[in-house]
Amino acid sequence: MDHHAAAAAGAAADDVRAEFDRLVDLRQVSVVFQPIVDLDSSQVMGFEALARGPHGSPFATPTAMFEYAYQVGRAFELDWICRASAFRAALGAALPPDFTLFVNAEPAALGAECPPDLLETIRTGVSELNVVVELTERHLADDPAAVLDAVASARADGLGVAIDDVGAEPASLAMMPLVHPDVIKLDLSLIQGSPDVAIARTINGVLAEVERTGAIVLAEGVETPEHTNMALAMGATMGQGWRYGRPRPLADHWRRKRSPALPLLRPEPTSRATPYQVVTEERPARKATKQLLMSLSRHLEYRAADPSEPGVLVACFQEAQHFDCPTQRRYAHVAESAVMVAALGRDMPTDPAPRVRGTRLDPDDPLADEWVVIVVAAHFGAALVARHLPPGVVEAEVASYEFAITYDRDLVIAAAQSLMQRIESRHMTHP
C-alpha cells in the first residue's frame, strides 16, 4: 500500500471511529419491540427490546454496533445505553407490569458500573417494569464466571434470567443447570430446521432442565403454523416471530391482559459452602486411600470429554503442585472435547494447561483443603469430594482421606456452583 492509500485508509478509519463515538456519546440508540405470545392462545405476554443504531449508518444493526464496540473498548457502555433506551421507551409507553420486557445484556457489563446519566432510568425501569435479562448461549462457555456473576447481579435486582439462542451451540447445554434460567429461548434453527440427532439432543437437554426446574420454553423464529406446531412439540409454551408480529415501536394504549405476568423461578442464592460441605450435609463420608480416589477421579474426568454428551469439568487440587505434568496432559486432552475445564488451587496459574482455566485460591479459603472433581453434562452429573483425615485419625496403609461421591443432580449442581463462583472471569473482550 502506497503512502496516499495508507493515508486515505487511516482517514476512513478515523471517520468510522468518530461516527461510532458520536453514537455512544450522544446515546443515539433507538429500540423496537417484538411481541412474545402464549402459543396456545396467541395472547401477547411481553416484548423483546431490540436495539438499533442510526438508520443508514455502518452501525445500524446491534451486531455491527457491538462488534466495533468491543474493538474500541466501549462495549459495556453501549450495553448500558441499549438497556436504558429499552427502559425509557417502555416507561414512556406506560408498559403495564403484567407484560414481561425481555432485554439483551452482555454478561460482564451487568457487573460494570452504569454511566451516571443512565442510572436513574435503569433504576426506574428495574423497579417499575417486569424485566427478564437475556444472556446469549455463546457466552455460557466463553466466560462462565462472567455469566454466573451476571445472573447473580440480575437476580439481586429482582430480574428474571433467560438463555437466548439455545441450540446454536448444543455443547452449552451442560452450563444450563448452573445458570438455572427462568426462560429458555430456543434458537430459530431448531424451529425452522429438519429434526435430526443434534436437534434431538438439544431438545432432550432442554426438556430435562424444564422437568427439573419448571423453566419456561420460548421458541424464536415462529413464522408459520407449522413452526408453531413444531415449537409446541418441542415443549415451548411461548413464542415470537413474524407470525405474531414484527419488531416495531410500542403502542401507547393497553388492554388488560387476561393472565398474569410470566412466573419467575427465583432460585435461592448460591451458598458459600464448599463442595465437601454441600455434599456431606446430604451424603455420608467414608474413608479411602489416595489410590482409590485417583481412580474415581479419572473416571469422572473422562466422562466430561464424552463426544456424545460433552460436559463441564471443574476440579480443586488443593495445591498447584498437585496439578503435575501427567495431570496437565490429561486435563488438556479432556479440554479438547469438554465444554469447559477448570482447575483451582493455591498458587494455581491462570492457564495451567492448554484450554484449561486456572484460578488461584486464597490460602485461607477452606476450599483449598479439599480434593474435588465435579462433572456436569446435559444428562449426567457427579461430584467427588474429599479431604485429609485429621491428624491422629489416619489409618496407616488403609486410608488417609474421607470422601463422598454423589450422582444426585441437584446436589451435584449445588456443589458445582460453589466452585464456579470462585472461577475468575476473563471479562470477554470479543462479541
Side-chain angles (χ1 to χ4, degrees):
M1 181 181 296
D2 61 29
H3 174 73
H4 294 293
D14 289 344
D15 289 343
V16 171
R17 177 61 192 264
E19 184 171 358
F20 179 79
D21 286 342
R22 185 164 55 251
L23 181 158
V24 174
D25 294 340
L26 301 180
R27 311 321 199 200
Q28 294 177 332
V29 173
S30 60
V31 183
V32 289
F33 298 82
Q34 186 168 36
I36 292 171
V37 306
D38 178 278
L39 289 176
D40 283 331
S41 66
S42 296
Q43 180 182 4
V44 176
M45 302 296 291
F47 298 87
E48 180 180 359
L50 302 168
R52 299 288 186 265
H55 180 70
S57 82
F59 306 111
T61 68
T63 299
M65 283 193 290
F66 277 96
E67 283 183 350
Y68 194 81
Y70 272 103
Q71 293 177 26
V72 298
R74 303 194 72 176
F76 294 174
E77 184 180 6
L78 176 62
D79 191 68
W80 281 111
I81 293 169
C82 292
R83 199 152 51 253
S85 298
F87 287 177
R88 188 179 300 111
L91 292 166
L95 180 69
D98 54 348
F99 288 89
T100 302
L101 178 65
F102 288 74
V103 295
N104 293 277
E106 298 294 302
L110 288 176
E113 186 175 357
C114 176
D117 63 301
L118 304 178
L119 192 55
E120 183 177 355
T121 300
I122 293 294
R123 286 174 174 168
T124 304
V126 166
S127 65
E128 297 186 11
L129 299 169
N130 182 19
V131 179
V132 170
V133 174
E134 294 189 21
L135 308 174
T136 58
E137 189 197 37
R138 62 182 165 80
H139 288 136
L140 298 187
D142 286 349
D143 196 342
V147 170
L148 296 180
D149 286 346
V151 169
S153 176
R155 290 200 163 119
D157 288 336
L159 310 182
V161 174
I163 297 180
D164 195 12
D165 300 331
V166 170
E169 295 181 22
S172 296
L173 289 172
M175 281 292 299
M176 193 180 299
L178 304 176
V179 174
H180 201 130
D182 301 278
V183 180
I184 300 170
K185 299 188 72 175
L186 302 181
D187 187 70
L188 59 83
S189 63
L190 300 180
I191 306 304
Q192 298 182 2
S194 298
D196 57 19
V197 172
I199 288 178
R201 184 181 300 122
T202 298
I203 296 304
N204 282 329
V206 169
L207 293 179
E209 178 69 8
V210 171
E211 185 175 39
R212 188 179 71 87
T213 69
I216 293 169
V217 179
L218 192 163
E220 298 180 293
V222 181
E223 299 180 0
T224 66
E226 291 74 21
H227 293 163
T228 298
N229 292 336
M230 180 64 76
L232 289 167
M234 291 181 173
T237 58
M238 313 295 296
Q240 71 181 103
W242 287 1
R243 185 181 186 203
Y244 301 109
R246 301 197 180 202
R248 63 185 63 186
L250 286 175
D252 56 4
H253 60 280
W254 305 95
R255 289 187 297 177
R256 186 176 181 83
K257 279 171 78 258
R258 300 188 302 276
S259 57
L262 298 182
L264 300 181
L265 300 178
R266 304 194 186 283
E268 293 295 322
T270 301
S271 170
R272 288 297 297 179
T274 67
Y276 186 90
Q277 293 167 340
V278 169
V279 174
T280 57
E281 185 174 334
E282 301 290 337
R283 298 290 184 270
R286 299 186 290 274
K287 297 175 183 178
T289 63
K290 181 178 181 180
Q291 288 72 21
L292 175 60
L293 294 183
M294 289 179 64
S295 298
L296 293 172
S297 295
R298 292 184 181 183
H299 172 70
L300 295 184
E301 290 163 3
Y302 283 106
R303 280 303 303 260
D306 183 349
S308 66
E309 190 183 0
V312 172
L313 169 62
V314 285
C316 180
F317 290 84
Q318 299 173 314
E319 307 285 346
Q321 65 186 14
H322 297 154
F323 197 72
D324 55 19
C325 289
T327 306
Q328 291 171 25
R329 289 193 294 269
R330 193 167 71 249
Y331 270 61
H333 174 72
V334 173
E336 292 177 358
S337 303
V339 174
M340 188 195 75
V341 177
L344 301 86
R346 295 187 184 97
D347 299 320
M348 185 69 70
T350 302
D351 297 292
R355 297 174 296 279
V356 175
R357 294 171 178 267
T359 291
R360 182 190 304 266
L361 294 177
D362 293 333
D364 57 352
D365 189 331
L367 175 61
D369 295 322
E370 297 182 6
W371 175 345
V372 180
V373 178
I374 300 177
V375 177
V376 179
H379 301 286
F380 175 81
L384 169 69
V385 297
R387 65 184 182 187
H388 281 288
L389 286 166
V393 182
V394 175
E395 301 176 12
E397 299 181 358
V398 177
S400 56
Y401 288 86
E402 52 185 359
F403 85 104
I405 190 167
T406 181
Y407 296 88
D408 179 278
R409 191 160 182 81
D410 288 335
L411 199 53
V412 170
I413 290 167
Q417 288 172 329
S418 173
L419 277 186
M420 296 292 290
Q421 67 182 340
R422 290 171 164 86
I423 296 175
E424 296 173 353
S425 172
R426 301 293 177 93
H427 292 295
M428 292 164 288
T429 56
H430 56 83

